[in-house]
Amino acid sequence: MGFVSFLGRALFASVFVLSAWQEYNEFGIDGGPAAKSLAPKFDVFSNHVSVLTGLQVPDVEIKYLVAAGIAMKGLGSILFILGSSLGAYLVLLHQAIAIPILFDFYNYDVYTNEFALLFLKFTQSLATMGGLLFFIGMKNSMPRRHKKKAPKTKTN
């Protein structure tokens, strides 16, 4: 049963490992294509946040956001494969931050192709988050194994 669990985690996290590796290879000096596609979406997201909450989102360079995302995805998925809850939390945090920014279907008309594609990717990412939450819940519900100490022999 242990190997099946490991194999399931490895297959589940392979998507994150491969995407982090691809983004790392394309990163370059300016953050690569990920930074170029994230910049306008982040601007729209920060405008939404400032309008709805009245808080100003601080100015950050997009390449640092991309680098942080790569690190969270890569480290989190490797730890998740090894069975760590910390890895699941890291990937879950990455997904919670990235999903509303990357898959901004709410900015498109319902009858356009962009809306359908972004909404499909959004719901798939929500399903991935559900799998991570299931793993965390199962990990926390399992009783811990404690080794019993052998009783000491009494000597007279």
Side-chain angles (χ1 to χ4, degrees), residues 55-129:
L55 300 173
Q56 186 65 27
V57 177
D59 290 332
V60 293
E61 285 194 49
I62 299 297
K63 69 178 181 179
Y64 296 132
L65 290 177
V66 172
I70 292 170
M72 284 177 68
K73 244 191 310 192
L75 180 64
S77 57
I78 290 171
L79 289 174
F80 178 72
I81 289 171
L82 297 175
S84 170
S85 294
L86 176 63
Y89 281 115
L90 282 174
V91 175
L92 188 66
L93 179 64
H94 173 269
Q95 289 291 94
I97 294 170
I99 285 174
I101 297 172
L102 294 178
F103 308 125
D104 57 343
F105 65 92
Y106 43 83
N107 291 325
Y108 295 93
D109 188 28
V110 175
Y111 301 107
T112 61
N113 287 338
E114 292 87 6
F115 176 88
L117 291 173
L118 288 172
F119 189 72
L120 178 67
K121 290 181 179 183
F122 177 82
T123 54
Q124 287 174 344
S125 296
L126 286 181
T128 303
M129 286 180 67

Side-chain angles (χ1 to χ4, degrees), residues 129-139:
M129 286 180 67
L132 290 167
L133 288 171
F134 180 77
F135 172 80
I136 292 169
M138 289 300 292
K139 191 88 168 168

Side-chain angles (χ1 to χ4, degrees), residues 44-64:
V44 170
F45 177 76
S46 60
N47 286 338
H48 278 299
V49 169
S50 61
V51 166
L52 294 175
T53 64
L55 300 173
Q56 186 65 27
V57 177
D59 290 332
V60 293
E61 285 194 49
I62 299 297
K63 69 178 181 179
Y64 296 132

